[in-house]
């Protein structure tokens, strides 16, 4: 059975990545339609060995489309997701618009695939925030073993998390430094070249940022509402891949060696942890890869049953595009949807 798939936001970083991953993984698609705004009409985009021409979102009929992968921002999702779902097309949304909606499952397939059945109420499935996705992939197998009480995480998030404009700003500012030009700040609140910015998204009343709040509430929804989590999210001058320094306190005893053995076998995880210079993963090495990489696993002697580790993943892939395609694969592999059009 093959499915008609629409990709909304096809010209963006994540949209292009979705198209690439659909082709790489051989998703059973009878047709793939690239959709974007009117200004991108006719833009040519690669899909495997084919070239797709972008069509306009508000002119597309979703009544014969089976799956819509949306990555065009929260406002577009708020306007379109329920309208598309009402036409019988399952929406997998990469924005924050529906993540905390009571009738929308928030899914990371390696962690809570069984929760996907709740999609039928609105025909919408939410993809988590990029920093949350890699975190819960690493936490899930450890939680199953020793029950997590509390997590303290500091993120080191690449500029691609802010879209093409963020990547362009890092590039132009870096070049300006070397040629002694004036630096322009447009996308970020402060200079990003050769700098760190301890703010991602807007500030909230309690002094945390919305990105930090997302990590708290999404981890609870995906993994366990009893988990206490605090986050500090930092933008760093890296193009692709988010990194996280994670400290975890457990209910039950768990050693570093036990944790390593668990993570070696955990779905979606890849352990690279040698106690030598370079015996760990960096964001540069994780770019373009599917795995959530774990390094620097060690016991924390300052608390009972504590561990610390380093976690890195390509935010455009596992943090967004790959996770969305994996959700679509769960729908297909579990027989949760049927193609509207039968193959000839």
């Amino acid at each position: 059975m093959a499915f008609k798939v629409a990709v909304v936001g096809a010209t963006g970083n994540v949209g292009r990545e979705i198209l690439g991953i659909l082709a790489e993984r051989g998703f059973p698609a009878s047709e793939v339609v690239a959709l974007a705004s009117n200004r991108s009409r006719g833009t040519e985009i690669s899909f495997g060995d084919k070239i797709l021409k972008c069509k306009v979102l508000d002119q597309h009929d979703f009544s014969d489309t089976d799956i819509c992968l949306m990555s065009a921002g929260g406002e577009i999702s708020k306007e379109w997701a329920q309208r598309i779902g009402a036409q019988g097309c399952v929406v997998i949304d990469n924005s924050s618009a529906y993540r905390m909606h009571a009738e929308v499952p928030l899914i990371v397939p390696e962690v809570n695939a069984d929760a996907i059945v709740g999609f039928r109420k609105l025909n919408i499935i939410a993809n988590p925030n990029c920093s949350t996705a890699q975190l819960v992939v690493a936490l899930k197998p450890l939680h199953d073993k020793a029950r997590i009480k509390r997590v303290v995480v500091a993120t080191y998030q690449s500029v691609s998390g802010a879209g093409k404009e963020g990547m362009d700003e890092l590039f132009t500012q870096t070049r300006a430094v070397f040629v002694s030009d004036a630096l322009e700040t447009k996308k970020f609140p402060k200079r990003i070249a050769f700098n760190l910015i301890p703010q991602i998204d807007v500030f909230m009343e309690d002094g945390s940022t919305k990105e930090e709040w997302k990590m708290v509430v999404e981890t609870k929804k995906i993994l366990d509402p009893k988990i206490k989590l605090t986050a500090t999210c930092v933008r760093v001058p890296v193009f692709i891949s988010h990194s996280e320094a994670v400290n975890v306190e457990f209910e039950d005893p768990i050693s570093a060696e036990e944790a390593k053995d668990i993570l070696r076998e955990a779905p979606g995880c890849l352990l690279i942890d040698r106690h030598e210079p370079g015996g760990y993963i960096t964001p540069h090495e994780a770019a373009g890869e599917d795995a959530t990489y774990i390094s620097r696993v060690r016991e924390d002697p300052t608390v009972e049953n504590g561990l610390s580790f380093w976690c890195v993943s390509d935010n455009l892939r596992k943090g967004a595009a790959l996770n969305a395609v994996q959700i679509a694969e769960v729908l297909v592999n579990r027989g949760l949807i049927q193609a509207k059009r039968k193959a000839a």
Side-chain angles (χ1 to χ4, degrees), residues 19-197:
L19 289 167
I21 291 170
L22 285 169
E24 282 173 25
R25 294 172 73 91
F27 188 83
S30 59
E31 181 182 356
V32 174
V33 182
L35 299 173
S37 63
N38 191 54
R39 69 176 179 273
S40 295
R41 183 200 299 264
T43 299
E44 295 187 341
I45 302 176
S46 296
F47 171 62
D49 57 0
K50 300 176 182 176
I51 298 294
L52 305 180
K53 285 195 173 182
C54 256
K55 298 180 180 179
V56 180
L57 168 61
D58 59 13
Q59 295 177 5
H60 184 71
D61 179 5
F62 285 91
S63 63
D64 67 346
T65 304
D66 301 297
I67 299 170
C68 174
L69 298 159
M70 294 196 78
S71 186
E75 291 307 311
I76 297 296
S77 294
K78 287 174 186 175
E79 180 182 355
W80 282 93
Q82 291 197 49
R83 291 161 63 181
I84 294 169
Q87 295 184 59
C89 176
V90 181
V91 176
I92 300 171
D93 182 33
N94 266 298
S95 81
S96 62
Y98 287 93
R99 288 176 189 157
M100 300 312 298
H101 193 294
E103 296 183 322
V104 174
L106 180 63
I107 300 296
V108 176
E110 298 93 333
V111 178
N112 66 335
D114 290 346
I116 202 169
V117 294
F119 81 91
R120 291 189 174 91
K121 294 173 183 175
L122 292 179
N123 264 354
I124 301 171
I125 302 166
N127 212 44
N129 189 41
C130 46
S131 52
T132 305
Q134 69 187 71
L135 178 65
V136 296
V137 168
L139 292 180
K140 165 66 172 171
L142 302 177
H143 185 54
D144 288 346
K145 169 65 177 176
R147 310 309 295 173
I148 293 170
K149 289 172 60 177
R150 181 172 184 259
V151 180
V152 180
V153 56
T155 72
Y156 306 77
Q157 295 180 226
S158 66
V159 294
S160 56
K164 183 178 181 296
E165 297 94 340
M167 298 179 79
D168 289 346
E169 188 150 313
L170 174 58
F171 178 82
T172 56
Q173 286 186 0
T174 302
R175 182 175 57 188
V177 169
F178 282 109
V179 299
S180 299
D181 278 351
L183 270 71
E184 278 193 275
T185 298
K186 295 178 180 178
K187 183 66 179 178
F188 300 116
K190 291 197 175 188
R191 159 181 164 169
I192 185 62
F194 304 98
N195 200 17
L196 305 175
I197 302 173

Side-chain angles (χ1 to χ4, degrees), residues 307-325:
L307 290 177
S308 295
F309 62 87
W310 176 247
C311 172
V312 185
S313 189
D314 183 326
N315 57 293
L316 298 180
R317 292 180 74 87
K318 186 55 192 172
L322 172 64
N323 199 73
V325 173

Side-chain angles (χ1 to χ4, degrees), residues 147-263:
R147 310 309 295 173
I148 293 170
K149 289 172 60 177
R150 181 172 184 259
V151 180
V152 180
V153 56
T155 72
Y156 306 77
Q157 295 180 226
S158 66
V159 294
S160 56
K164 183 178 181 296
E165 297 94 340
M167 298 179 79
D168 289 346
E169 188 150 313
L170 174 58
F171 178 82
T172 56
Q173 286 186 0
T174 302
R175 182 175 57 188
V177 169
F178 282 109
V179 299
S180 299
D181 278 351
L183 270 71
E184 278 193 275
T185 298
K186 295 178 180 178
K187 183 66 179 178
F188 300 116
K190 291 197 175 188
R191 159 181 164 169
I192 185 62
F194 304 98
N195 200 17
L196 305 175
I197 302 173
Q199 178 197 347
I200 299 178
D201 214 322
V202 297
F203 278 98
M204 304 183 72
E205 276 190 25
D206 66 353
S208 62
T209 64
K210 196 169 183 183
E211 184 83 357
E212 292 156 358
W213 174 82
K214 289 174 190 174
M215 292 192 74
V216 174
V217 295
E218 291 175 17
T219 299
K220 287 175 177 288
K221 182 172 179 178
I222 295 167
L223 192 53
D224 189 334
K226 295 178 182 177
I227 291 174
K228 296 178 180 179
L229 186 145
T230 182
T232 301
C233 294
V234 182
R235 189 73 71 191
V236 298
V238 169
F239 281 109
I240 295 172
S241 298
H242 290 351
S243 304
E244 298 173 349
V246 187
N247 180 266
V248 190
E249 187 178 352
F250 297 88
E251 295 277 1
D252 303 320
I254 182 171
S255 69
E257 289 308 313
E258 284 179 303
K260 289 180 187 180
D261 288 342
I262 290 166
L263 291 166

